């Protein structure tokens, strides 16, 4: 978890300290949670609202993990939109990938 937080902090610094004007010219890496039962109904566009709607229910930990992972993927896509290099964008994607694995493992162990 500490490594994920450090990776996100690094990504945030990259996003705020680098000037980028053009859209990135490399393929977008996949959202591996899309279509997975663990985060059913979550999208990059609705993850905040979906978490808010489910944050008081019995699966609050699962919803917290899903929202966090989707936030990382949103940050990755945002870095691409802002034109950051592939290696800079991959810092955030790697944090997403680790968070997605935590979500799917948690889902497998609890459902």
């Amino acid at each position: 978890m500490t490594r994920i937080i450090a990776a996100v902090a690094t990504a945030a610094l990259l996003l705020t300290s680098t000037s980028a004007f053009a859209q990135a010219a490399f393929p977008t890496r996949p959202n591996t949670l899309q279509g997975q039962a663990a985060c059913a109904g979550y999208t990059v566009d609705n993850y905040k609202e979906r978490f808010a709607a489910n944050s008081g229910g019995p699966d609050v930990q699962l919803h917290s993990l899903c929202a966090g992972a989707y936030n990382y993927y949103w940050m990755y896509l945002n870095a691409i939109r802002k034109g950051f290099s592939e290696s800079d964008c991959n810092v955030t994607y790697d944090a997403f990938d680790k968070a997605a694995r935590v979500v799917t493992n948690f889902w497998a162990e609890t459902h």
Side-chain angles (χ1 to χ4, degrees):
M1 188 59 131
T2 302
R3 288 183 184 160
I4 292 173
I5 293 169
V8 172
T10 301
L13 286 173
L14 290 170
L15 292 175
T16 58
S17 65
T18 307
S19 280
F21 300 102
Q23 179 121 6
F26 53 87
T28 303
R29 295 173 73 181
N31 177 348
T32 56
L33 287 177
Q34 187 173 352
Q36 295 291 322
C39 295
Y42 276 84
T43 68
V44 173
D45 297 321
N46 78 356
Y47 70 93
K48 292 176 187 176
E49 294 82 9
R50 185 134 176 96
F51 170 72
N54 293 285
S55 63
D59 271 344
V60 68
Q61 187 171 1
L62 176 64
H63 287 285
S64 296
L65 294 170
C66 289
Y70 268 88
N71 185 55
Y72 290 137
Y73 195 73
W74 181 91
M75 290 188 323
Y76 166 72
L77 294 176
N78 191 49
I80 292 172
R81 282 190 292 272
K82 291 186 177 279
F84 289 90
S85 72
E86 185 174 12
S87 63
D88 287 346
C89 293
N90 283 340
V91 170
T92 306
Y93 185 85
D94 291 343
F96 158 73
D97 184 56
K98 289 173 186 169
R101 282 187 266 143
V102 169
V103 170
T104 55
N105 288 339
F106 180 82
W107 171 262
E109 292 173 6
T110 61
H111 289 84

